[in-house]
Amino acid sequence: MGFPARDIRLYSAAVKITYSFVRRIWTNPFWGDNFVRHGIVGQIRVVLFLALFSAVATTADAPPLIFKFKSIKVPGAQSTAIYGINNLGAMVGSYVDSGGLRHGFTLLKGKVVKIDDPNGTDTYCFATNRAGAIVGYYATSNHSAQGFLYAKGKFADISPTGSTGSQATGINDHGDITGNFADSKGSHGFLLKGGTYTTLDVPGAQATLGGGINNAGLMTEVWLDSSFNSQSSLYNGKTYKTIDVPGEPDSDAGGINNLGDIVYSWEGSGDTYGGALRHSGKYYKFHVPKGDRTFGYGINDHKVIVGAYTDDNGILSGFTATY
């Protein structure tokens, strides 16, 4: 089963791939971009909007944190999203160009480098480590998701044996990779370490969707409960601990840094969306000022969060936030 031909928001058509990122990615409004699978674009430049926004976010039992935001857009692109950032400040993400083509990319010091897997179309780059290795997925010719690793200028497919679709969602500085895959039994998370795949299934989950990983091997795992609401767990290699954003029915943990800070996207009742940070065991919600919906995806050790947001017109932009 693969991606729907036109509107990825209709995630029910993609559920048999992996249920992957059902709330965190495929149900987000900006995945309504049409796929166009031909053509080449010229060299692009990135514009970092210099307007610096500030916001204060709190939970009921936590002191306030101040988040300072910068918007990121690829000039001429219909949409831009940032998914990961390493400790050198290199960011990875995905954008749709003016012709409707989707590309993966890296961004460092204002320079964009396009990362498109040659084996497919519509590349998404989700995470990068200190060495610059990148993981993500691309769409195959039959519109299925295929996880990949891009390192030292070469692409390699990432998927456990027997999988019918996969996504690589996290990578640490040791080269350990996390993600998700589908097989005849359903949707699972995975860890690829030392050339060996380990299947990860959160107990009681209808589907396990993967997440991020830090250098200590701590992993975030998003999973679907019996009502198909998304929940989040922290996995230490032995036990799963639930780490949902308080008060929200859907919590999607993303990146985790080496300090143990975790960034989230959450969905509340009444079609509300926001980002959140778990810092020192406390939760802090945040929204990009003047944005409509905010999604938190990646984080590094220098207290920089990356993600995406939509404005009142539904236009998607990336962002960085310091705290």
Side-chain angles (χ1 to χ4, degrees), residues 86-232:
N86 67 16
N87 284 334
L88 299 177
M91 293 175 272
V92 295
S94 176
Y95 73 94
V96 176
D97 67 26
S98 59
L101 288 168
R102 181 176 293 281
H103 307 278
F105 71 93
T106 64
L107 166 63
L108 178 62
K109 296 180 179 179
K111 181 181 179 180
V112 168
V113 176
K114 195 163 48 175
I115 305 293
D116 287 342
D117 196 300
N119 291 323
T121 60
D122 306 300
T123 300
Y124 295 77
C125 296
F126 283 150
T128 182
N129 66 9
R130 187 177 182 85
I134 298 167
V135 295
Y137 82 91
Y138 64 90
T140 66
S141 59
N142 64 356
H143 314 315
S144 294
Q146 174 61 58
F148 73 86
L149 166 67
Y150 178 71
K152 298 180 180 179
K154 296 182 179 180
F155 288 90
D157 285 352
I158 299 295
S159 55
T161 301
S163 67
T164 57
S166 63
Q167 295 182 348
T169 58
I171 184 170
N172 65 16
D173 291 340
H174 306 304
D176 305 329
I177 298 171
T178 60
N180 59 71
F181 72 100
D183 61 14
S184 60
K185 297 180 181 179
S187 179
H188 320 273
F190 72 79
L191 169 65
L192 173 58
K193 182 175 182 177
T196 300
Y197 287 93
T198 300
T199 299
L200 305 177
D201 290 311
V202 177
Q206 298 295 312
T208 301
L209 312 179
I213 184 170
N214 69 10
N215 289 346
L218 293 174
M219 290 172 274
T220 59
E221 290 292 331
V222 179
W223 51 280
L224 303 183
D225 64 19
S226 58
S227 299
F228 287 90
N229 292 116
S230 57
Q231 312 293 335
S232 293

